[in-house]
Amino acid sequence: AFRNDLALGVTPAHRIVCVVVDECHRCVGKSDGAVALRTLSEKLGVAARVVGLSATPGSTTLPPSRRPGSATA
């Protein structure tokens, strides 16, 4: 995991410029993702950009032509 790679020095932290966090709504408190980002920022002094991705449930209230995956969406 990214957290372990940082702790062991496997990932060269000084070369990180962007971190993409999938399921970022889970990246809180003592989760591995949150700890890894705090380690980068606070302990290693890395000022990387962070992109957080989080899925949201689809809606059936949209007309079919506006739904994701439709030919005109």
Side-chain angles (χ1 to χ4, degrees):
F2 185 50
R3 177 182 179 180
N4 293 335
D5 288 348
L6 285 173
L8 296 172
V10 173
T11 299
H14 67 280
R15 303 214 41 207
I16 296 173
V17 294
C18 181
V19 178
V20 178
V21 181
D22 191 18
E23 300 291 328
C24 67
H25 58 278
R26 297 175 189 246
C27 190
V28 296
K30 294 182 180 180
S31 69
D32 282 346
V35 171
L37 290 175
R38 276 194 301 277
T39 298
L40 268 179
S41 175
E42 297 169 6
K43 295 181 181 174
L44 301 175
V46 174
R49 294 183 185 265
V50 178
V51 177
L53 306 174
S54 185
T56 55
S59 173
T60 57
T61 60
L62 290 174
S65 63
R66 303 266 334 264
R67 292 183 189 156
S70 71
T72 59

